[in-house]
Every structure is written in structure tokens, then in C-alpha cells.
Amino acid sequence: WLPQEGSPSELGGWSRIMATTRPPPSQKLNPLAVAKGQRFICELTGKQASIIVYFYGVPYYYYDRTTLELDWNGIKSKIAQMLVPLRQPPSVFPTVEEREKQEASVRKSKLALIELCRMEATKYLVHGDFELSIPGAVQALRFSLDIYGSGKIELVPCYLLLAEANLGLGRHKQAEEYLSLANWSILKNPDCSNRTKSQLYRNFGKLYASQGKHDEALRQLANDVYFSSLQVGPEHMETAGGYYFLATVFYLQKRIDCALAMCDKVACSSLSPFPLRPLPLLARPPLCSFSAPAHSSCSSAS
């Protein structure tokens, strides 16, 4: 059901067409028509659903119309057609070989959808559309849980995306919950990459800084810089993100000398021979009015 290699334009065409349209009309659920003990759960929020909508003949349940439109614009308009085979009851095959072949095909499809959903969520995060990034991250997390199970290191990228989105929306409690889940997965898998640990500590630092817990934020950001330095080196552009947020927290503490010293580190990293590329976690940081790290801004500050 996924497009074959050499024909990606077919799926891309559908995505572009569907993304420019409104979601299909929904119907209100009639409580009297629901069997006793049966509950319909919202696709996005996990709350009791009140409406039903059909995408390519497959029913989906939502809390309200606003939630439906958010999910549609965030991810469903791009993957609704691809979800049809996964939402249908599995076919019954007479041989073990055929069943294993079907399971492998479903797994491959879910892995491709995880990658697509994470890409879409990251794209919205980079552009500051935090609300729209949540549906893709939720969908990626759902498929990741199906494939890997709870507590696995493969879930961490989805948790970090959801934490970043909720942090951008000012939902500190939800962000901390997702970061705690990511931290638990990392503790259970101590051999995970230093880059993953760096991203976790950076998000914890941003969370504590936005809550006014500056000392704790500095400790977490110092861990971020440490693990990022182990992964790519202390002068790499990825590590510059940690220096930038350290400068932001020092500025909030009115420790201007320390803030300027971190800005100098950012400037040195920006001039490094490594290729300059955008960093999703540095997009529109919600901590203070600092502009994005650049050589000119740090030079003027010093």
C-alpha cells in the first residue's frame, strides 16, 4: 500500500491536495445508539469522543470539531489513505509463512509512517506551529508503542517532540510528563547515544528556565553541553545550542559576564568548519527575548 520506489509523486500529490481541503463532515455520536459498556475514545486527546468522521471509509472518533480539524491539518490529511490497510481487520492466511509475511509488511508500513509523522511534527516545531506538531508526534508515538513496546529507547524521539511542543505552548505540566517518560526510557537503556541524552537535558533545562528554576536549568544545560561535546565536540554547531540557552539563563539571572562568555562560545561554534544547518530545538526558544544565535548579535553584545 506504500508507493513503490520511483513513484513518490503519486502519494505526494494526494497529500498536497488533501492538505488544502477541510476535513470531511462529521456526525454527532448518539449515546442511545452506543452499546452498553462501549466507549469511543478521541484519536488525539484520549477523552470521550462526541463526533465521528470517515476518512476513506474508515471511522475516526474525536472529542469535538476543533480537535478533528487540528488532527486533520496536523497529520491526518497526509496519511489518512495510508492508514486504511492498517485500520482494517487482518486477513486470515492458512500458512505460517504467509502470516509472517503479512506481519513483516505491516511492521514496515508502520515504520515508514513513524518516520513521516516525526518529520511532519519536526517541521511544524521549526516553524513555531506547536499546536500542529502535536498530532504527528502523537501518531508516531502510537505506532512506536505498537512496534517496540513501552519503555524502549525508540520512544524517546516522540516524547521529546511532544515535550517541545507543549513547552512552546506553555503547558509545563504536560511537557514535564513527557520528559519524565523519556528520562525513564533512557535510564532503562543506558547505552543510548550521547545525542539523545543531550536533547533530553536541553529540554529539561528549557522547562526549568521557563518555570523560573534557574539553578536547576543551568545544571541540566551543563549536562546538555557535556553529552553534546562527547557526541560531536565542544565547538560543533549542535553544542552551540546548549551554550545559547546557558547564555539565556545567565541573562535572566542578570549575570551578564557569564551570558556574554556563553555568547562568545556560540560565536566560535558558528565560525567552526562544520556545515551550518538549522537546529530544530533552537527554533523560537520560549525563554526570553534573545534573538537566534548569530555571530553578529554576540559581537554587538560584547
Side-chain angles (χ1 to χ4, degrees), residues 45 63 71 104 112 121 124 163-164 214 260 285:
T45 65
Y63 178 71
D71 193 33
Y124 286 123
E164 181 82 4
H214 297 151
L260 292 178

Side-chain angles (χ1 to χ4, degrees), residues 3-256:
Q4 298 298 316
E5 185 177 358
S7 62
S9 59
E10 298 179 10
L11 180 59
W14 268 108
S15 298
R16 286 190 294 272
I17 292 172
M18 294 174 68
T20 59
T21 61
R22 294 178 60 83
S26 57
Q27 303 173 9
K28 195 169 184 63
L29 285 173
N30 183 1
L32 299 178
V34 178
K36 185 177 180 180
Q38 186 177 18
R39 297 177 71 246
F40 296 107
I41 305 301
C42 175
E43 284 281 320
L44 189 60
T45 65
K47 299 179 181 179
Q48 181 78 30
S50 64
I51 61 173
I52 182 174
V53 64
Y54 290 87
F55 302 150
Y56 295 103
V58 178
Y60 294 84
Y61 302 92
Y62 290 95
Y63 178 71
D64 56 18
R65 183 72 187 183
T66 302
T67 308
L68 162 61
E69 292 181 354
L70 176 62
D71 193 33
W72 175 263
N73 293 321
I75 193 63
K76 279 298 195 300
S77 62
K78 303 172 183 66
I79 66 171
Q81 190 178 24
M82 296 184 287
L83 289 176
V84 174
L86 299 178
R87 292 278 181 157
Q88 294 174 344
S91 304
V92 178
F93 293 101
T95 66
V96 175
E97 182 180 349
E98 289 177 321
R99 287 195 296 270
E100 291 178 348
K101 185 177 180 180
Q102 183 197 37
E103 292 173 358
S105 176
V106 170
R107 178 184 173 86
K108 184 178 179 181
S109 301
K110 289 183 177 181
L111 287 172
L113 281 168
I114 290 172
E115 186 66 23
L116 174 60
C117 292
R118 283 168 50 182
M119 286 176 57
E120 287 297 313
T122 301
K123 179 188 73 175
Y124 286 123
L125 273 181
V126 170
H127 289 92
D129 296 324
F130 302 113
E131 199 82 54
L132 285 174
S133 70
I134 291 179
V138 168
Q139 190 69 64
L141 177 60
R142 185 173 293 129
F143 283 132
S144 297
L145 285 168
D146 287 344
I147 293 178
Y148 304 111
S150 61
K152 300 299 183 181
I153 196 64
E154 289 83 3
L155 306 181
V156 172
C158 300
Y159 289 141
L160 293 179
L161 284 172
L162 287 165
E164 181 82 4
N166 281 283
L167 188 58
L169 294 168
R171 302 169 182 170
H172 296 156
K173 182 179 180 181
Q174 292 92 326
E176 191 165 13
E177 288 175 357
Y178 285 118
L179 289 176
S180 297
L181 289 170
N183 188 42
W184 174 245
S185 297
I186 289 176
L187 290 174
K188 292 180 65 177
N189 301 272
D191 57 341
C192 73
S193 69
N194 290 318
R195 177 176 281 112
T196 300
K197 295 176 182 178
S198 169
Q199 293 172 346
L200 174 68
Y201 286 121
R202 183 169 300 179
N203 278 280
F204 265 123
K206 292 164 65 176
L207 171 66
Y208 291 136
S210 63
Q211 293 176 329
K213 303 175 182 177
H214 297 151
D215 291 336
E216 183 61 25
L218 290 175
R219 188 173 72 86
Q220 298 292 335
L221 292 170
N223 288 332
D224 161 31
V225 170
Y226 172 74
F227 285 108
S228 181
S229 298
L230 290 179
Q231 181 72 32
V232 295
E235 305 299 329
H236 196 276
M237 273 293 296
E238 289 188 21
T239 310
Y243 297 139
Y244 169 65
F245 286 111
L246 280 169
T248 303
V249 177
F250 282 133
Y251 176 81
L252 293 173
Q253 291 183 321
K254 302 188 184 302
R255 298 165 64 180
I256 305 303

Side-chain angles (χ1 to χ4, degrees), residues 273-302:
F274 294 93
L276 299 179
R277 59 185 180 84
L279 295 174
L281 292 180
L282 293 183
R284 300 191 184 185
L287 300 185
C288 73
S289 58
F290 263 67
S291 58
H295 176 56
S296 60
S297 62
C298 291
S299 298
S300 61
S302 59

